[in-house]
Amino acid sequence: MWAQVLEVEAVGEQDNFFALGGDSVLATRIVTRLRQVFASDAVTLRTVFLSPTVAGLAAGVVAAEEVPGRAEAMADVHLRVARMSPEEVRRELSARRDAAGTAADA
C-alpha cells in the first residue's frame, strides 16, 4: 500500500514515510486506505506524523483495536485479495455466496 502511494518499488517496515517522499497529501491517502482496510477510524493523520513507519502505524492500529487479533486478520485478508487476479476474486466471492446460500437452506 505504501509503495503504491509513494510510487516506489518497495518499503521496509522501518522506512520513514516522509524520507521516502511522503507529504501531507500522500499521508491522507494512506490514512484513507488504512481506514478502508481496517474498517476503523483509529488511524489519523496525527498517527502518521507521530509514527511514520509501517511498523509504527501497525503498532498503533493493533493498540487501538477493540477486538484482539482483528487488525491482523483484516490485514491478512487484504493481502490475500491484493495478490488475486480479478477473476480469482470473482470466483472466491461466488464460492462464498454459494456456501452461504447452502448454509441458509440447511
Side-chain angles (χ1 to χ4, degrees), residues 26-47:
L26 295 176
T28 301
R29 289 184 190 167
I30 290 290
V31 168
T32 299
R33 289 186 182 190
L34 289 172
R35 286 180 171 183
Q36 291 170 343
V37 169
F38 294 107
S40 169
D41 292 336
V43 178
T44 64
L45 278 175
R46 185 179 199 294
T47 310

Side-chain angles (χ1 to χ4, degrees), residues 59-84:
V61 168
V62 169
E65 68 184 354
E66 295 175 16
V67 178
R70 182 173 185 266
E72 185 175 351
M74 299 282 287
D76 287 343
V77 169
H78 174 75
L79 289 173
R80 190 165 48 111
V81 171
R83 292 181 187 121
M84 298 169 94

Side-chain angles (χ1 to χ4, degrees), residues 98-106:
D98 292 346
T102 302
D105 292 340

